[in-house]
Amino acid sequence: MDGQTWVRAPIGMGAAERVTVAGCRPVLVMVPTMTAGTRLAEVVPLVEADHRIQPVYTVPGSTERWHGLEEYVRSLGAMVLPWEQAKRESYDLVLTASHREIEQVRGKVMVLSHGVGNAKSRRYSRKAGGATRGTTGLDREVLTYRGRVIPAALMLSHDKELALLRKRCPEAHGAAVVAGDICLDRMVASRRYREGYRMALGVSEDECLVTISSTWGPESTFGQHLELYQRLSAQGCRVVAQLHPNIVAAHGSGAVLGWLGDSIRAGLRVLPPDRGWQAAVIASDVVIGDHGSCTMYAAASGTPTVVATEPPALWPGSPADVLVRNAPRLDHGRELWSQLRKVMAEHEGPDVELATAITARPGQAAAITRSTMYRLLGLPEPARALPANVVPVPWTS
């Protein structure tokens, strides 16, 4: 994307001469990572059918970006503005699931989390390189710029986050909205389509489907136990790999698929990094994972779940802490399949404690988020029903 070549956009100077639908409120969607993009893909449909609204996208950053990110954003069919152009315009609403570059845009900024919660599960930021002070996504340093609170709306999943915000950045309290977790809501609502998801993955009634979930970084399933994919694929069960988008973004799909080559030849199916994982988790008989969001959503939505890694230092009481405390641990020195059979046989349903730690507004996230978006836009909320919130049918590479 050439930062010097600007797009003939439906906003900005001369837009009135180009547009067919006039008078739209411009909404900027900031996608600094694929993970943020996939969360925003759950939120943008809440307003995209409204002919009063014109969404445009941008990939923030002038000098450094994740590999493959621009191709992902363009695959959405979106109007994509170069970052330098996007910074020059004003917007009625800015949607972001990250704190990156939010001080550089002009408009009412709505900040969402890009995974489970805003408070973060890791006690220490991996970006700080040997950090000694615990950080959260609700700290003053990420929510303010030169004394100004940046978000006009800070979407929280839980009242506990509101209490934490009062301690870490009390001046942002007025922007906070406790909305719940839209991803968990969608997964819970989609469980009734489980058999359809299994059919889409080619899993028969008498087959067992295992999803191996991995966040990114050395403490992840992929980082600690790459051999697990081969071990399970050789056991005769159907195995699907859910990989955090940053794994592919940091290493390249060619390297990642090469490392998994033997497992793929043994039957492993790898989900695209931007879609399909929610449905695969619902379709699975058991999920093996780490401290990442996918594993938490699996356990909270009702799929038998096993933790396969030693997690990093976690915030006590965080959703990830609840997960690793409640979920059974995989013993890599023992035969795998007998352990998984035991977990499935003893499974009693969703981890209620974990689900309660993830969201304080179960089933309400879409409605609260849409109402907040229209409040910021200064438009009356449409009478039309919320769009269907079931997760899409998975597909694999």
Side-chain angles (χ1 to χ4, degrees), residues 367-384:
I368 295 173
T369 301
R370 187 173 78 165
S371 293
T372 305
M373 293 165 79
Y374 277 99
R375 172 173 61 81
L376 296 179
L377 285 164
L379 291 172
E381 192 170 354
R384 70 171 63 91

Side-chain angles (χ1 to χ4, degrees), residues 17 43 51 53 76 81 151 155 174 195 197 203 205 229 232 286 291 305 323 331 342 349 375 383 394:
E17 302 170 3
V43 173
H51 64 273
I53 294 171
L76 302 175
L81 303 186
M155 309 306 288
E195 292 307 316
Y197 297 141
V203 181
E205 290 185 12
Y229 298 87
L232 272 175
V286 64
H291 61 283
T305 304
L323 169 75
D331 185 342
K342 184 174 185 292
R375 172 173 61 81

Side-chain angles (χ1 to χ4, degrees), residues 256-293:
V256 171
L257 294 177
W259 293 331
L260 292 172
D262 290 342
S263 303
I264 292 171
R265 285 184 283 275
L268 175 72
R269 303 183 72 178
V270 182
L271 293 167
D274 61 324
R275 68 195 73 182
W277 69 266
Q278 294 155 306
V281 163
I282 293 168
S284 293
D285 294 284
V286 64
V287 169
I288 303 172
D290 46 35
H291 61 283
S293 292

Side-chain angles (χ1 to χ4, degrees), residues 19-339:
V19 299
T20 299
V21 179
C24 293
R25 303 289 180 94
V27 175
L28 180 67
V29 184
M30 296 176 64
V31 187
T33 65
M34 189 180 293
T35 312
T38 56
R39 176 52 58 96
L40 293 170
E42 299 189 285
V43 173
V44 172
L46 300 177
V47 297
E48 67 182 357
D50 195 327
H51 64 273
R52 299 171 296 175
I53 294 171
Q54 170 65 66
V56 294
Y57 287 62
T58 192
V59 178
S62 301
T63 60
E64 182 178 287
R65 292 171 184 168
W66 285 103
H67 166 72
L69 182 58
E70 293 169 10
E71 291 80 1
Y72 160 70
V73 177
R74 293 193 180 281
S75 74
L76 302 175
M79 165 68 70
V80 184
L81 303 186
W83 175 234
E84 294 302 320
Q85 181 181 0
K87 290 192 295 182
R88 297 289 184 93
E89 305 297 343
S90 296
Y91 309 91
D92 287 67
L93 177 64
V94 177
L95 298 176
T96 180
S98 169
H99 299 107
R100 296 185 187 182
E101 316 280 4
I102 59 176
E103 78 284 355
Q104 298 197 45
V105 294
R106 293 186 286 181
K108 296 176 182 177
V109 179
M110 172 185 276
V111 177
L112 305 106
S113 68
H114 59 260
V116 171
N118 293 270
K120 296 187 179 180
S121 293
R122 298 174 61 100
R123 184 189 291 268
Y124 303 111
S125 171
R126 56 162 62 93
K127 300 174 184 176
T132 57
R133 183 172 66 89
T135 59
T136 77
L138 301 175
D139 293 347
R140 179 177 286 114
E141 63 192 76
V142 296
L143 296 178
T144 66
Y145 179 70
R146 294 184 175 178
R148 172 177 66 91
V149 174
I150 303 170
L154 177 60
M155 309 306 288
L156 308 180
S157 60
H158 210 283
D159 298 292
K160 290 181 178 179
E161 293 184 346
L162 192 61
L164 180 62
L165 181 66
R166 290 192 185 104
K167 296 178 181 179
R168 312 288 290 212
C169 188
E171 58 268 45
H173 181 265
V177 179
V178 180
D181 190 296
I182 194 169
C183 181
L184 181 59
D185 285 354
R186 295 182 74 207
M187 292 180 70
V188 170
S190 301
R191 290 203 70 87
R192 63 184 182 273
Y193 300 110
R194 182 172 183 270
E195 292 307 316
Y197 297 141
R198 287 174 67 85
M199 289 178 60
L201 287 165
V203 181
S204 62
E205 290 185 12
D206 59 346
E207 282 185 306
C208 181
L209 175 64
V210 180
T211 290
I212 304 177
S213 167
S214 181
T215 188
W216 66 292
E219 302 96 348
S220 68
T221 311
F222 195 85
Q224 289 188 5
H225 297 290
L226 190 55
E227 80 289 342
L228 184 60
Y229 298 87
Q230 176 65 17
R231 288 184 67 189
L232 272 175
S233 298
Q235 300 237 341
C237 53
R238 291 290 190 111
V239 185
V240 168
Q242 178 276 326
L243 304 176
H244 191 286
N246 283 359
I247 297 176
V248 173
H251 294 286
S253 59
V256 171
L257 294 177
W259 293 331
L260 292 172
D262 290 342
S263 303
I264 292 171
R265 285 184 283 275
L268 175 72
R269 303 183 72 178
V270 182
L271 293 167
D274 61 324
R275 68 195 73 182
W277 69 266
Q278 294 155 306
V281 163
I282 293 168
S284 293
D285 294 284
V286 64
V287 169
I288 303 172
D290 46 35
H291 61 283
S293 292
C294 178
T295 319
M296 287 185 264
Y297 285 130
S301 63
T303 302
T305 304
V306 184
V307 173
T309 61
E310 290 299 323
L314 303 172
W315 282 108
S318 67
D321 180 56
V322 175
L323 169 75
V324 299
R325 176 162 33 89
N326 290 357
R329 195 68 61 91
L330 192 68
D331 185 342
H332 294 272
R334 294 174 47 213
E335 195 269 330
L336 297 177
W337 187 235
S338 60
Q339 296 181 67

